[in-house]
Amino acid sequence: MKLCVLLIFSSLFSKSYAQDERFYRELLTGELLSKKARKYNPPPKYKARTPFYEVDLNSDDRNERFYYEKKGGEDFLVIQNYKRQEIFRYKFETIGINARLYRLSIRRISAKTKVVVLNFYEGYTNYLEFNGSARVYLMSIDNNDLSTMAVYKGPGFWQEFRGFKGDYRQRFYELSLYDFNGDGIKEVIVRHHLIPRVLMYLDDGKWSNIHDYIRRISRVNAKGK
């Protein structure tokens, strides 16, 4: 009888020890946190997208196609190559409900670089005051190479506001291109109401506000003196 009890106790102890060992191993390797993340971050249940729109982005006479997708409460621009394989995905930042990408245009800023101008409505909030806004995003493509695609989050360019006292305003924008410094690369000028912002393309998907660029150059020149 004692032998039987000892065997049962030994069996239970072994199972308990094995469970503890698995727990500590998962804790130390991060596997436990990964399991919890999967448990509390399930795949998105809701997914919707626009129809496919086709355009030749790299001038090879074969159309890429893109669509705008909402998935799990997040907003994406998705681009596929001519083989219908996804090659690019970008997540927009929203501030409220009913956000959407509503306009896209392709502009060339130099012999090397073309820019896809993305007009994105960031959504609106309606707690006490109504506030909706839109922002411009700039997607650059260098040398017709789709692997160089990069998106820059530009300035806000449109706002609709209604205060709780009933005051209302709308501010619109104007976007234009102009080569200010004569280097063969056009700057992007976004004018929002009375505020102009000039964006300079620096290459490799990088942009700079021209005022920040001038300040940076001035600091470098000052150090060199």
Side-chain angles (χ1 to χ4, degrees):
M1 182 65 180
K2 289 183 179 180
L3 178 61
C4 182
V5 171
L6 182 61
L7 289 173
I8 293 174
F9 178 78
S10 176
S11 174
L12 290 175
F13 178 79
S14 298
K15 290 181 180 179
S16 175
Y17 178 78
Q19 289 173 352
D20 289 344
E21 185 182 15
R22 282 196 300 271
F23 173 80
Y24 288 117
R25 184 172 64 248
E26 290 174 355
L27 182 63
L28 291 173
T29 61
E31 188 179 349
L32 183 64
L33 295 177
S34 178
K35 285 183 176 181
K36 289 185 177 181
R38 289 195 297 269
K39 180 179 179 180
Y40 294 108
N41 294 282
K45 295 182 179 179
Y46 302 103
K47 181 177 178 180
R49 69 184 184 192
T50 64
F52 292 100
Y53 298 93
E54 296 192 352
V55 62
D56 184 3
L57 291 175
N58 58 350
S59 303
D60 65 350
D61 295 323
R62 296 181 295 195
N63 285 340
E64 285 68 45
R65 64 180 186 175
F66 68 92
Y67 59 91
Y68 173 65
E69 179 181 73
K70 283 183 173 289
K71 183 171 70 172
E74 297 179 323
D75 299 70
F76 299 91
L77 170 69
V78 183
I79 297 178
Q80 298 178 339
N81 62 17
Y82 71 94
K83 295 179 181 179
R84 305 304 180 249
Q85 300 167 331
E86 184 178 317
I87 58 173
F88 188 80
R89 175 179 289 264
Y90 181 80
K91 186 174 77 170
F92 294 100
E93 296 181 22
T94 63
I95 65 168
I97 62 175
N98 286 348
R100 62 190 180 277
L101 176 66
Y102 68 91
R103 186 179 179 184
L104 179 152
S105 60
I106 301 175
R107 313 288 290 271
R108 183 168 287 280
I109 62 172
S110 71
K112 172 185 175 180
T113 305
K114 65 178 65 173
V115 170
V116 182
V117 180
L118 306 168
N119 290 6
F120 182 69
Y121 181 61
E122 298 176 296
Y124 69 86
T125 57
N126 199 20
Y127 179 72
L128 297 181
E129 299 177 335
F130 178 92
N131 189 23
S133 62
R135 184 173 297 274
V136 63
Y137 288 77
L138 303 173
M139 183 173 74
S140 57
I141 304 173
D142 294 328
N143 297 316
N144 286 323
D145 183 355
L146 297 182
S147 68
T148 67
M149 286 189 296
V151 176
Y152 172 76
K153 180 183 175 182
F157 63 80
W158 183 87
Q159 181 186 31
E160 184 178 19
F161 175 84
R162 179 183 292 109
F164 67 93
K165 294 181 179 179
D167 51 317
Y168 177 81
R169 67 173 181 264
Q170 278 188 342
R171 290 182 175 175
F172 298 92
Y173 89 111
E174 177 185 359
L175 186 143
S176 56
L177 305 176
Y178 188 79
D179 184 2
F180 283 102
N181 56 2
D183 65 351
I185 305 174
K186 295 178 180 178
E187 282 69 53
V188 178
I189 305 100
V190 180
R191 186 182 299 276
H192 179 209
H193 191 44
L194 301 176
I195 305 172
R197 291 181 174 86
V198 181
L199 304 174
M200 174 184 291
Y201 187 62
L202 304 178
D203 211 0
D204 295 326
K206 298 180 177 62
W207 295 78
S208 177
N209 185 306
I210 196 168
H211 301 294
D212 297 334
Y213 179 79
I214 291 172
R215 285 197 296 268
R216 188 161 60 247
I217 294 298
S218 298
R219 286 197 298 266
V220 172
N221 291 337
K223 290 181 179 179
K225 291 181 179 180

